[in-house]
Amino acid sequence: QKEVEQDPGPLSVPEGAIVSLNCTYSNSAFQYFMWYRQYSRKGPELLMYTYSSGNKEDGRFTAQVDKSSKYISLFIRDSQPSDSATYLCAMSKGGGSNYKLTFGKGTLLTVNP
Amino acid sequence: EAQVTQNPRYLITVTGKKLTVTCSQNMNHEYMSWYRQDPGLGLRQIYYSMNVEVTDKGDVPEGYKVSRKEKRNFPLILESPSPNQTSLYFCASNDEKLFFGSGTQLSVL
């Protein structure tokens, strides 16, 4: 079983839809969870950063972590065409730079006007 | 503005011709790393550096070299590139959070 599993999609939704992106993981030592957004041919950029279980909201984006189920989600409300990108989940055992990130393979999202 | 800058953005070369991809960060981060990204395989770490003169292998180091002589710079060296090193490469630096450069698309013919 891979450490981090992420459905590659592609996922296509109409503008204004609520988008749900998910990752599962197998290593219970993961404590820090991130979502990156990557536009085509660009570097990934950090979107959300959370520690342990719970929810974190930032504008139209909500990150959710359920450690008991080893499951993390990213919700995008009122999706916009500018949200079209690949979304990568990532996680690590610690919060400092010494801890290696393990990435999912990414989900390609298209928001249609 | 906090930045990780890598050059070139695009590079086409031939098998066996040595090349260097440069990377520089202006955030005074100690930790820097290189990744390659391939369809279906995702991001894979090539090498990382925890500080000046301290480097170590990541998940896919074969065929690559790095050096860290200054804190801000972390070049990636391909001594004898091969076609299986055709990929999209990212440099990154981090303290608590990881910041990526814009990428280098390398094609080895």
Side-chain angles (χ1 to χ4, degrees), chain B residues 30-68:
Chain B
E30 293 182 346
Y31 194 100
M32 298 184 73
S33 50
W34 277 100
Y35 291 82
R36 61 179 288 175
Q37 188 176 37
D38 303 285
L41 296 176
L43 279 165
R44 294 180 291 170
Q45 191 183 61
I46 302 170
Y47 266 95
Y48 64 94
S49 169
M50 298 177 76
N51 213 328
V52 175
E53 302 292 2
V54 181
T55 63
D56 207 348
K57 297 176 181 178
D59 298 318
V60 288
E62 294 77 22
Y64 304 95
K65 282 177 57 177
V66 292
S67 70
R68 188 90 181 274

Side-chain angles (χ1 to χ4, degrees), chain A residues 2-9 20-27 30-38 44-50 62-66 70-76 85-93 100-109, chain B residues 35 37 41-44 98 100:
Chain A
K2 291 188 173 66
E3 271 196 305
V4 179
E5 301 265 15
Q6 183 175 9
D7 187 338
S20 173
L21 303 166
N22 311 295
C23 287
T24 59
Y25 62 96
S26 59
N27 192 337
F30 287 138
Q31 298 281 344
Y32 291 80
F33 304 91
M34 289 133 269
W35 286 94
Y36 283 81
R37 179 175 62 194
Q38 185 178 18
E45 55 179 335
L46 184 63
L47 201 57
M48 300 289 280
Y49 182 88
T50 55
T62 299
Q64 200 171 76
V65 176
D66 182 349
K70 297 191 183 67
Y71 188 89
I72 69 170
S73 300
L74 177 71
F75 297 97
I76 307 174
T86 296
Y87 290 81
L88 301 157
C89 64
M91 45 199 79
S92 66
K93 298 173 187 175
K100 179 185 167 184
L101 285 186
T102 300
F103 286 89
K105 293 183 179 177
T107 300
L108 177 61
L109 171 67
Chain B
Y35 291 82
Q37 188 176 37
L41 296 176
L43 279 165
R44 294 180 291 170
L98 191 64
F100 285 91

